[in-house]
Amino acid sequence: MFILAAKIQIGEFVFTQINDVEITKSVEDLVDTAIIKMPNKFKIRSNGENKYTEEAINPGDKVAITLSYEGKYEGIEFTGYVSKVSPKYPLEINCEDSMWLLRRKNITKAFGATTLKEILQEVVSGTEIKLSDKVPDIKIDKFIIKNANGSQVLQKLKEDFALSIYLDDNGKLYAGLEQLNNINQVAIYDLNYNLVSNDLEFKTSDEKKIKVRYTYISKDNKKKQVEVGDEDGELRTNHSSIISDEKQLKEMAEAELKKNKYDGFEGSVKSFLIPFATRGMVAEIRDNEHKNREGRYFIKKVITSYGTDGSRRTITIGNKL
């Protein structure tokens, strides 16, 4: 028997009775988020005093969400900070991971010849956030930050270099190609056994007509452009104001094409709280009825929910590995 439980610590308070929780983690988003729905009042255990939740909880309070199946699984699913308290019914508490700290750090600095790591180090300096050791060695000719907060700088890097940038589950800042942060853990999903539902669709690479275009635009509006993929494919455009080297532009375009063009499944599966899964892991899809369709896929997004109907994970897969 699976007995589900939750423990949510917000600031100095610990809650075990809540309405709903939804946690979203993705390699495509800068910020991991959590939404907690809970009663508008709660009673303090130590003295029995009733408190209005919206008065007791404030933006900036630390948050830790733990979910468990008694005796079978227990895991800290989210850590971060309260970003907003919405006075709805039930009360809605919006949370962000430690990217919340970077939103509150303003930076002005001009870099000459530099590297991605050096810029990232400047972004996280003075905070508790450390860099992942998987950040690639990317050289940058020049980079200027003018009165921007940390998350704005990261968004600029993300767009200009087509990078996946986010805080991993160890709280370290990763920036690089999304599949290079594979954490070498596997969650197994049997299409005939351990799923609540799935909306997977199997397609061959020939069915996926895709063309990727990368364009560099200089300050004087001069352009360099590369294209890879199917001439008649769905066009996916990307722009950079930093990378002018055509070889590097082509490498970025080919990486984008490879990520989207393969024989295999697209879509998502919905499971229970176990098997555990987080973005960056591998989803091994098994199907006894169609052995030729089995394979391993990069997990790019996980939404974990908890509430009166139980706990579920919705896993969105990316490219085939």
Side-chain angles (χ1 to χ4, degrees), residues 12 42-43 67-68 76 97 130 141 159 164 183 213 232 238-239 250 267 269 299-300 306 311:
E12 63 181 298
F42 67 93
K43 183 178 288 188
L67 301 179
S68 63
I76 299 175
D97 64 9
K130 306 297 182 185
D141 293 337
E159 292 171 356
S164 179
I183 59 179
R213 174 187 296 160
D232 59 344
N238 300 272
H239 298 86
K250 187 175 181 181
V269 298
I299 296 176
K300 65 181 183 179
Y306 169 91
S311 189

Side-chain angles (χ1 to χ4, degrees), residues 14-40:
V14 175
F15 304 92
T16 56
Q17 301 295 323
I18 54 170
N19 296 71
D20 293 286
V21 173
E22 184 175 276
I23 301 163
T24 302
K25 297 182 176 184
S26 172
V27 299
E28 296 178 334
D29 299 327
L30 281 179
V31 186
D32 292 346
T33 61
I35 298 174
I36 304 167
K37 295 181 181 179
M38 59 191 301
N40 291 60

Side-chain angles (χ1 to χ4, degrees), residues 34-214:
I35 298 174
I36 304 167
K37 295 181 181 179
M38 59 191 301
N40 291 60
K41 284 185 178 182
F42 67 93
K43 183 178 288 188
I44 299 175
R45 288 186 178 181
S46 60
N47 59 15
E49 178 188 356
N50 282 312
K51 276 190 171 287
Y52 284 102
T53 310
E54 64 189 88
E55 294 177 351
I57 293 173
N58 301 289
D61 285 349
K62 285 192 172 184
V63 178
I65 301 173
T66 301
L67 301 179
S68 63
Y69 283 132
E70 189 175 298
K72 294 180 173 63
Y73 168 78
E74 181 176 274
I76 299 175
E77 302 283 341
F78 177 88
T79 59
Y81 298 84
V82 173
S83 59
K84 183 174 70 171
V85 179
S86 299
K88 301 177 180 179
Y89 188 83
L91 195 74
E92 192 170 285
I93 299 169
N94 295 270
C95 310
E96 297 181 358
D97 64 9
S98 292
M99 199 67 71
W100 185 86
L101 299 172
L102 299 183
R103 290 187 191 278
R104 277 143 191 83
K105 178 183 177 181
N106 285 331
I107 306 169
T108 296
K109 185 166 182 175
F111 294 86
T114 185
T115 65
L116 175 62
K117 286 183 182 179
E118 188 176 350
I119 296 170
L120 295 178
Q121 194 61 61
E122 176 64 29
V123 171
V124 302
S125 65
T127 74
E128 63 189 32
I129 301 170
K130 306 297 182 185
L131 293 189
S132 166
D133 57 9
K134 295 182 180 179
V135 175
D137 185 22
I138 296 177
K139 292 181 172 60
I140 300 173
D141 293 337
K142 182 172 64 174
F143 195 80
I144 298 173
I145 306 171
K146 187 175 180 180
N147 195 29
N149 68 48
S151 65
Q152 289 172 329
V153 176
L154 296 179
Q155 185 63 38
K156 174 70 171 172
L157 291 168
K158 178 181 170 73
E159 292 171 356
D160 282 339
F161 291 91
L163 299 175
S164 179
I165 301 179
Y166 60 93
L167 293 168
D168 65 23
D169 281 13
N170 294 316
K172 293 185 176 183
L173 180 63
Y174 173 73
L177 297 178
E178 62 183 39
Q179 63 269 27
L180 295 185
N181 201 31
N182 186 323
I183 59 179
N184 297 317
Q185 296 177 17
V186 180
I188 297 173
Y189 300 100
D190 189 327
L191 299 187
N192 310 113
Y193 175 60
N194 68 337
L195 293 178
V196 176
S197 62
N198 81 80
D199 67 353
L200 296 175
E201 183 178 3
F202 190 89
K203 291 183 178 180
T204 66
S205 59
D206 290 338
E207 293 178 274
K208 301 175 182 178
K209 299 293 186 182
I210 298 170
K211 178 165 64 175
V212 178
R213 174 187 296 160
Y214 262 86

Side-chain angles (χ1 to χ4, degrees), residues 259-310:
K259 185 172 70 175
N260 291 282
K261 191 174 174 67
Y262 56 87
D263 291 345
F265 285 111
E266 293 179 345
S268 63
V269 298
K270 182 178 286 188
S271 73
F272 297 98
L273 192 59
I274 51 179
F276 171 76
T278 188
R279 42 96 172 90
M281 285 178 59
V282 174
E284 183 174 316
I285 307 295
R286 295 181 179 178
D287 186 352
N288 288 330
E289 295 181 6
H290 300 279
K291 286 285 187 181
N292 61 315
R293 295 184 179 181
E294 294 186 333
R296 290 185 164 204
Y297 298 82
F298 184 82
I299 296 176
K300 65 181 183 179
K301 182 178 182 179
V302 177
I303 299 175
T304 302
S305 62
Y306 169 91
T308 55
D309 294 331

